[in-house]
Amino acid sequence: MTTNHQIRLASRPQGLPTPANWMATTEPVQQPAAGGVLVKVLSLSLDPAMRGWMNEGKSYIPPVGIGEVMRAGGVGVVVVSNNPLFAVGDHVSGSLGVQEYTLIPQEQLRRNGLFKIDLALGSLTQWLNVLGMPGMTGYFGLLDIGQPQPGETVVVSGAAGAVGQTVGQLAKIKGCRVVGIAGGPAKCAWVVETLGFDACIDYKAGPDAVREGLKAHCIGGVDVYFDNVGGDILDQVLAQLARAARIVICGAISQYNTTTPVQGPKNYLSLLVNRARMQGMVVFDYADRYPVAVAELAGYLKDGRMVSKEDVVVGLDTFPETLLKLFAGENFGKLVLQVAQE
């Protein structure tokens, strides 16, 4: 516990991040002052949103500064505490950064969102998936913005990913017909056979696969679309909307690494024709309600109505190449970087 290895942002990427955008550093592990805690990082959540955090410019959260430790949510264990709210040995989650140890002064505890996690409700990796930020995103995006009703058809892109798997399973629990969009026959089979979706469209099956799949599986149109990818797939779904449809804009992973200006949807007038609504969502807006979602989702995990699949890669030093798995669609489930074991 003397040296902290870290990954810092060296420069802002143009397109996909490259090794030149990162620098590996070490520094002595510092002890916390009064009110602070020192956390040993066990696992980190790798999310598409991280690509946006690398860009300069106005967004819902300040960009990571050049030379700063790369921002990442994670789970860990308290190894030193000078704060009565946290004891040595407590498992915690929060913004820990891509590093081995995170020193959090008292005044930054709230900003880092540090909170204790209960491993009786789920495993460490599940606290980065269904019980973590992806699960909270899926829960509030679907229920608060999508407002699905029993019998409606819900379509979710990135269906085999972290957010998508929660959205689809939750929609089924709420009595909806659920159609996923994912890449490759293996992912589509898992989405249907394990997650219980009614159908899954393989967008890699050909240029017309999504359009034809939506026509085949959404006979009455799409009532709720949970969008994680943007681009052409969003346009294809817009063309198949039902009256009064709701579209949840969660992410646009197909657009994050483009070096040309991002183009908006071509079929947006479908919103007018179908009296539909499109709304963006940022999960941090619901932070005060996370315990409600965790309690409900943990119940579904316990009784078997939901599963939580994680794709775990080991080693802090693998971070630059592991992150790229997200943008190539290579991860199968929630992408997690294991930094250390207890």
Side-chain angles (χ1 to χ4, degrees), residues 37-190:
V37 297
L38 179 66
V39 177
K40 178 182 179 181
V41 179
L42 298 177
S43 291
L44 295 171
S45 174
L46 301 191
D47 301 289
M50 297 172 80
R51 179 61 186 84
W53 300 341
M54 300 176 209
N55 294 335
E56 191 69 76
K58 183 179 178 181
S59 186
Y60 61 88
I61 190 171
V64 176
I66 300 300
E68 291 182 353
V69 174
M70 181 59 198
R71 181 186 297 136
V75 292
V77 60
V78 175
V79 290
V80 181
S81 177
N82 289 320
N83 189 302
L85 297 178
F86 299 94
V88 172
D90 281 346
H91 290 95
V92 293
S93 181
S95 181
L96 302 182
V98 185
Q99 56 188 340
E100 293 176 313
Y101 292 92
T102 305
L103 179 67
I104 309 177
Q106 182 177 25
E107 64 272 14
Q108 293 183 13
L109 287 172
R110 180 179 292 273
R111 188 176 71 184
N112 283 60
L114 196 73
F115 65 97
K116 289 189 283 188
I117 60 176
D118 184 355
L119 295 186
L121 299 179
S123 67
L124 283 172
T125 56
Q126 287 174 337
W127 275 100
L128 293 178
N129 192 9
V130 172
L131 302 181
M133 187 173 70
M136 301 302 98
T137 301
Y139 183 93
F140 292 109
L142 178 67
L143 300 185
D144 275 43
I145 300 176
Q147 300 177 357
Q149 301 301 310
E152 289 190 325
T153 296
V154 175
V155 174
V156 55
S157 55
V163 175
Q165 62 181 269
T166 295
V167 170
Q169 292 180 95
L170 187 57
K172 284 298 296 181
I173 290 170
K174 300 301 182 181
C176 298
R177 173 176 171 77
V178 181
V179 178
I181 302 173
K187 289 183 179 181
C188 285
W190 178 75

Side-chain angles (χ1 to χ4, degrees), residues 320-338:
E321 59 263 32
T322 301
L323 181 66
L324 295 181
K325 292 181 66 173
L326 288 169
F327 308 110
E330 294 175 357
N331 58 300
F332 198 154
K334 172 75 190 81
L335 187 59
V336 173
L337 185 69
Q338 182 180 310

